[in-house]
Amino acid sequence: MVLSFAYRAFSAVLRLLVRRRSSEFAKDVELLVVRHQLVVLSRQQPRPSLRPADRALLAALARLLPPGRRHGLVVTPQTLLRWHRELVRRKWTAAASKARPSGGR
């Protein structure tokens, strides 16, 4: 009974805050929901399978986040850095192979 009342009171306070505040607060609440969903999903599947496009998007967007905000990501910061290094290495090896002469002497 007490837990039900606490839940209803907490929900009412959140609704009031969302209505009174700008859409910034609503975005923050949405981010909290998404982060919690990630926590729940990480309990079910310990290692997500990501495609190369997913990796590139996460690596690029994570660079825009401040370091303190990177803790809720699906992957560790070290993994993001490794993906970024791999992307750069592939770019330079592809560019070098195009620059090499293809004919003999």
Side-chain angles (χ1 to χ4, degrees):
M1 182 82 172
V2 174
L3 187 59
S4 175
F5 175 74
Y7 170 76
R8 287 179 185 254
F10 181 67
S11 296
V13 168
L14 284 178
R15 275 194 302 271
L16 284 173
L17 288 173
V18 169
R19 286 184 192 152
R20 289 185 151 199
R21 296 276 185 133
S22 67
S23 63
E24 275 301 307
F25 187 74
K27 287 180 187 177
D28 291 341
V29 169
E30 184 180 354
L31 283 173
L32 286 173
V33 169
V34 170
R35 285 181 182 165
H36 185 69
Q37 287 176 351
L38 286 173
V39 168
V40 171
L41 288 174
S42 69
R43 282 188 231 143
Q44 295 175 3
Q45 184 180 9
R47 187 172 184 166
S49 60
L50 299 172
R51 289 180 252 155
D54 298 328
R55 292 176 180 185
L57 183 65
L58 279 174
L61 292 177
R63 293 188 63 174
L64 300 174
L65 293 174
R69 289 271 177 112
R70 294 179 191 163
H71 61 79
L73 295 175
V74 177
V75 295
T76 64
Q78 291 82 9
T79 304
L80 288 171
L81 289 172
R82 188 184 78 234
W83 290 346
H84 183 71
R85 284 191 305 267
E86 288 172 3
L87 288 171
V88 170
R89 184 177 56 237
R90 276 190 227 135
K91 176 186 175 194
W92 285 106
T93 54
S97 66
K98 289 179 185 177
R100 289 185 196 147
S102 60
R105 291 185 187 185

